[in-house]
Amino acid sequence: SSTTTVPDEHYDGENKCSQNAYMTILEIIATSLSYADQNNDSRRKSTSNTSSEDDTCLVSKLQTCLGQETSLLTLTLLDLGTLIDNLSSKNRGRKARELVMANEEQHLVVVLVRLIGNLCFRCRFNQDLVRLTEIPMSLNHQNDVNDVVTSTTKTTIPTEETTPKRNGLHVILSCTSFAYGCFTLREWALVAIRNILEDNDENQDIVSRLEAQQALDTPELQKMGIKVDLDKRGKVNIVHDEIKKEGGDV
């Protein structure tokens, strides 16, 4: 008797081709939108501004249209959140200089951050959309967060109150923590953050209020006799506890 193997719905080559096409399309859009920023620089140096002003106006309309009439920005934020979560889970326990990112992951995260930044350049609607878009955590990353919450609060089951919530602005800010894994990510993330915060008091207020919410107290720190305290202003203080061991002081 012979057995028939049913092929998978998508094979590796097809998936890679689809992902490459996806990133190429995003790159084209991001590059097209960056024309507005370039024109603003050229206008300062040129006495004839009519052509560049028309181009900038067109790009501005395109930004608004993409934000209001399509789900491009929202989906890009969600994709970035998923990618950052996967990278966080994969690199859990590693030092910053030991971060591991595949070439495809580096390419994709830069494209997503660059597109978000260019969509938000002097576009109030898109700036606000980044703040108002809630980004759910992927299951793996949620489990990692729950483990940390459980170990620090001694809570068996994390609740709605102890599980952090985040929006698109939080995800963009978190990209800077992966700078060691991707050479250009920090620069693009800073550009995106600048574009999202520019002349937007609400977004600036969120960043200004970001602070540590809870001190991390792990078994490893306890063995070293180190206690981490957090004051009301979010300032971290390191306290060295007395270490008492059997057989006398060490």
Side-chain angles (χ1 to χ4, degrees):
S1 62
S2 60
T3 58
T4 303
T5 302
V6 180
D8 293 336
E9 184 176 354
H10 297 289
Y11 56 90
D12 290 342
E14 184 179 357
N15 289 332
K16 290 182 179 179
C17 183
S18 299
Q19 184 172 2
N20 288 337
Y22 169 67
M23 287 193 291
T24 299
I25 293 172
L26 295 184
E27 280 186 308
I28 292 173
I29 298 174
T31 302
S32 301
L33 293 173
S34 69
Y35 195 61
D37 203 356
Q38 296 171 6
N39 275 343
N40 280 321
D41 291 335
S42 64
R43 276 191 297 172
R44 299 186 186 101
K45 303 175 183 178
S46 175
T47 55
S48 178
N49 300 334
T50 304
S51 177
S52 60
E53 286 179 352
D54 291 342
D55 291 338
T56 302
C57 183
L58 178 62
V59 172
S60 179
K61 291 179 180 179
L62 178 60
Q63 287 174 302
T64 304
C65 177
L66 290 173
Q68 292 182 347
E69 301 183 21
T70 75
S71 57
L72 176 63
L73 180 54
T74 299
L75 292 177
T76 302
L77 289 166
L78 291 171
D79 285 347
L80 181 60
T82 299
L83 178 57
I84 292 299
D85 289 348
N86 292 339
L87 290 173
S88 298
S89 297
K90 183 171 72 172
N91 288 283
R92 185 183 181 190
R94 288 194 175 102
K95 298 178 181 179
R97 295 181 181 275
E98 299 173 349
L99 292 176
V100 176
M101 293 178 66
N103 290 335
E104 294 80 6
E105 292 170 331
Q106 295 182 38
H107 187 187
L108 180 57
V109 71
V110 169
V111 169
L112 295 174
V113 170
R114 184 184 174 205
L115 176 58
I116 293 169
N118 288 345
L119 280 169
C120 292
F121 179 71
R122 296 185 179 176
C123 181
R124 181 57 183 256
F125 181 89
N126 290 346
Q127 289 176 338
D128 291 340
L129 185 58
V130 170
R131 183 184 72 253
L132 297 173
T133 300
E134 185 173 336
I135 311 295
M137 292 185 183
S138 63
L139 181 59
N140 289 339
H141 189 55
Q142 182 66 67
N143 290 336
D144 291 341
V145 172
N146 288 345
D147 290 343
V148 173
V149 171
T150 300
S151 64
T152 56
T153 64
K154 306 298 186 292
T155 302
T156 304
I157 302 178
T159 64
E160 287 279 337
E161 290 74 18
T162 59
T163 301
K165 296 189 182 300
R166 62 179 183 176
N167 57 35
L169 185 53
H170 297 133
V171 172
I172 288 288
L173 290 169
S174 68
C175 288
T176 58
S177 63
F178 292 92
Y180 281 108
C182 181
F183 180 71
T184 59
L185 178 56
R186 182 177 181 275
E187 285 68 26
W188 284 117
L190 291 177
V191 170
I193 293 169
R194 179 203 67 183
N195 290 350
I196 295 170
L197 299 184
E198 186 177 21
D199 298 326
N200 192 306
D201 293 338
E202 289 84 354
N203 287 353
Q204 292 175 20
D205 182 60
I206 285 183
V207 174
S208 67
R209 288 188 288 108
L210 285 177
E211 59 183 19
Q213 298 296 320
Q214 191 172 51
L216 183 63
D217 187 20
T218 66
E220 291 77 10
L221 290 176
Q222 293 174 4
K223 290 179 181 178
M224 296 171 63
I226 297 176
K227 184 178 179 181
V228 182
D229 287 333
L230 195 67
D231 63 22
K232 295 181 179 180
R233 297 182 179 180
K235 183 179 179 180
V236 177
N237 299 309
I238 307 298
V239 180
H240 293 271
D241 290 339
E242 287 188 17
I243 305 177
K244 297 182 179 179
K245 295 185 178 180
E246 293 182 4
D249 297 335
V250 177

